[in-house]
Structures are given as structure tokens and as C-alpha cells.
Amino acid sequence: PGGVSVTTRARVPLEDRNMNADSTQHCTYYRLSDALEGVIGWLSNPLPPTVSTGLSDLDSMLQGGLPLGKVSAVAGRPGMGRSEFAQHVAFNTAKQGFGVLYFSLDQSKNVIALRKLTELFDVNLYWLRSRDNQAGVLEMLNKFTPELAALSELPIFIDDTPTLKPEELQDRIIAMCRLPDFHRNRFKLLVVDSLFSICRNLSNSADFIEQTMMMLVEMARSENIHILCTIPVLKQVEKRKSHQPRLFDLWGEGMIERYCDPILALYRDSYYYRPSETEESDLAHILILKNSMPGVTGAVIASFSMGRFGPASL
């Protein structure tokens, strides 16, 4: 009626209809039994050996810590604490008697040593570096002589060359892994702080990032160590109401999500908002954005007092 034509289409039996091309060609659908079989198999396997982060709550969510044979990433905006987190893990690993190789492309070895002294003396970095406090510093050095001796024996090896290319990094890792010191100290952790500093000046960065990640993954597997990389969170996160990072906020052209497991990100309210005067210490949210344990993501709260990580007192 009214000049409107109606086109009808014959009903096609369900079994004869064409399913979505992705479903038929790439098999994006699976039976529940397939998923159950995979999960049961995963649960039946023994837990892989790990390196403890030094934070028990975080270790629990990561099935014991950072797994050997894999590469992980800790991300954060500049000044959020990613280098401090990497150093916390490194020193905790060394205290257990395991060898650590720390590539510090953003901080000198002297800064790393100074930060460790602030923890030992329980002072801030500004007090330690002030020439007005030289007498107090000398007193601290005498007071903590035994602790300083124990600290100097930790099997941490620092390479603070400020500019390294991926192939130079690989050559140095291979050379250091062959040294007798690493075999004696059961080398288990390698830190790259930061991965961005290696790749930022390279053309066609996506390809170079992928090549670098593939090299690190192969190195972690072949040497049976864990490799922890620090990376930036892109500035786009600050344009949202919620500044907590997500996977798509991470630098790396998607390669970090592809090759790293686990992936952690740091967030502190005080980075954006002035903390309350009643707060004795800052709190850091360690976000687990990717985890080999299926379905286990979320956040762990840690103390971040004077640039040092520790258990949160809530």
C-alpha cells in the first residue's frame, strides 16, 4: 500500500548459513571443554621459579614473584618511582645471594649508591648530599660501618653507560653472563632502566623495539634469568579524569604487551594531588596490568616513603 514495495528473503536453515568469516577462517570460538582442559593443565603444572620483588602482597599475586625465563615491565610517568621500584627489586634479590646486573641508562652508579645510603641511614637524599651536614654524614658512616661492609658485598654489577644501542646491550649482557662472578653468585636478575633510553633515538622505532624485545626474551630463556625493564607511561594518561595507567597508555608501540609478562604500572595520588599533612608516608598503587595467572589483575598498595618502597601500613 502507498507505493511501498516489500522485499522478502527466504529463510535459510541454520546449518546452511554462512557464519562470520573470522569465526570460520580463524576459529575464534571454542568449546568450554577446551578452555577447561587448558586451565586444568595450567593448574596442574608446577609453579615456575621466581625472583621475589621484596613485597609479599605483590609476590602473592604474581605466584611467588617475577618468573625466571621471562621479561617483565614496570611503567610510570617520569618521577612516579619506576627506577626506585627496579632498584628495590634488585637489592632485594642481591640480599638473597643472587647475582644482579643493572643497566642504568638514566641514573649514574653514584646516584644508585646514594639512594641506598639514604635507606640505610633513614634520611632523605637532600640531607645526605648537603655539604652543611658533612659532620652528620661522617657520624653516620662510622655508626653503620658493619652494615656498609655487608652492603658492599652484595653481588650487584652496575653498567651506567648513558647511551647504548640494542646490539651493544646484547653484547654486554652476553659478556657479563660469561664472567665467573655471575656463576658463583647464581645470576638471576637483569634490569634495564630504561628501555626507552635505548630505543628513543632509533629510526623506525616500532621495528627496533620489537627486535630489542625479541632479543631480551631469548636472553631470559637461554640464561634462565628474569629481565625487568622500566618504561614510560605516555602523557595521554593525564588527559583523562582517572590518571591510573592502562595497557594502551604504555610506551612501546604495543610490543610491551606482546612480549612482557607480567606488566606492572605505578600510580600515586600525590603525584597529581597534594598529600594530606597528616599522612606520614606516601602510598603507591602497583597496578598489575598483565599477569600469567589467568584473571588475576588489580592493584597492590605499597609504602613509598622518601623514594623507597616497602610494605604499606593500612
Side-chain angles (χ1 to χ4, degrees):
V4 178
S5 63
V6 178
T7 302
T8 61
R9 184 171 56 184
R11 292 177 60 87
V12 179
L14 181 61
E15 60 273 14
D16 293 336
R17 297 179 191 175
N18 290 326
M19 298 186 68
N20 180 281
D22 288 337
S23 297
T24 56
Q25 295 178 15
H26 304 291
C27 190
T28 60
Y29 59 93
Y30 298 91
R31 290 183 180 275
L32 176 60
S33 58
D34 295 332
L36 285 172
E37 182 180 354
V39 170
I40 292 172
W42 178 84
L43 290 172
S44 302
N45 291 329
L47 293 177
T50 58
V51 172
S52 173
T53 64
L55 299 169
S56 58
D57 290 343
L58 182 59
D59 285 346
S60 178
M61 295 189 71
L62 297 176
Q63 305 176 81
L66 303 172
L68 297 184
K70 289 194 174 184
V71 179
S72 68
V74 57
R77 292 292 296 147
M80 190 66 78
R82 60 185 185 237
S83 292
E84 289 80 359
F85 178 85
Q87 290 165 25
H88 173 86
V89 175
F91 278 95
N92 181 76
T93 302
K95 286 178 181 177
Q96 299 174 59
F98 301 126
V100 177
L101 176 55
Y102 198 108
F103 282 93
S104 181
L105 290 91
D106 293 339
Q107 296 181 357
S108 71
K109 61 182 182 298
N110 292 335
V111 170
I112 295 175
L114 279 170
R115 288 190 178 278
K116 199 57 187 176
L117 288 181
T118 64
E119 181 178 343
L120 180 62
F121 299 161
D122 195 23
V123 298
N124 61 47
L125 187 60
Y126 301 103
W127 184 90
L128 191 63
R129 298 179 73 171
S130 174
R131 302 302 295 178
D132 296 334
N133 298 323
Q134 190 171 18
V137 171
L138 292 175
E139 182 181 349
M140 287 287 191
L141 291 172
N142 290 327
K143 179 180 178 180
F144 289 93
T145 299
E147 291 83 357
L148 283 169
L151 186 62
S152 66
E153 293 297 321
L154 291 180
I156 296 183
F157 303 81
I158 303 173
D159 187 328
D160 62 353
T161 307
T163 55
L164 281 177
K165 295 179 180 179
E167 58 271 19
E168 293 173 333
L169 175 66
Q170 182 178 18
D171 291 342
R172 294 188 185 205
I173 293 173
I174 293 174
M176 294 296 284
C177 287
R178 301 297 179 264
L179 292 178
D181 281 337
F182 284 109
H183 295 288
R184 285 196 298 267
N185 292 292
R186 294 180 294 169
F187 178 41
K188 284 196 175 183
L189 178 68
L190 187 149
V191 177
V192 180
D193 182 22
S194 70
L195 194 61
F196 171 75
S197 297
I198 295 177
C199 300
R200 63 183 168 186
N201 294 324
L202 300 175
S203 59
N204 200 2
S205 59
D207 289 340
F208 276 104
I209 294 171
E210 182 167 28
Q211 293 173 19
T212 303
M213 292 307 307
M214 292 174 64
M215 177 268 291
L216 293 175
V217 167
E218 177 57 31
M219 188 70 62
R221 290 174 181 168
S222 63
E223 300 295 335
N224 194 33
I225 60 175
H226 184 85
I227 299 180
L228 173 62
C229 302
T230 67
I231 62 169
V233 168
L234 301 177
K235 195 172 183 179
Q236 67 189 29
V237 73
E238 299 183 348
K239 298 178 181 180
R240 298 198 307 262
K241 184 177 181 180
S242 172
H243 300 315
Q244 291 197 5
R246 303 171 189 171
L247 281 174
F248 54 77
D249 295 315
L250 306 186
W251 167 88
E253 306 286 348
M255 301 304 168
I256 302 302
E257 182 178 359
R258 177 180 299 180
Y259 291 101
C260 292
D261 185 12
I263 299 176
L264 310 175
L266 303 176
Y267 171 80
R268 292 185 288 115
D269 281 335
S270 62
Y271 187 87
Y272 297 101
Y273 313 106
R274 185 174 181 176
S276 168
E277 295 180 358
T278 60
E279 293 182 4
E280 295 182 359
S281 65
D282 200 354
L283 291 178
H285 296 249
I286 305 175
L287 309 174
I288 303 174
L289 303 182
K290 181 182 177 182
N291 191 357
S292 57
M293 182 185 293
V296 180
T297 55
V300 171
I301 307 298
S303 169
F304 189 72
S305 177
M306 291 189 290
R308 303 192 294 267
F309 281 88
S313 300
L314 299 177

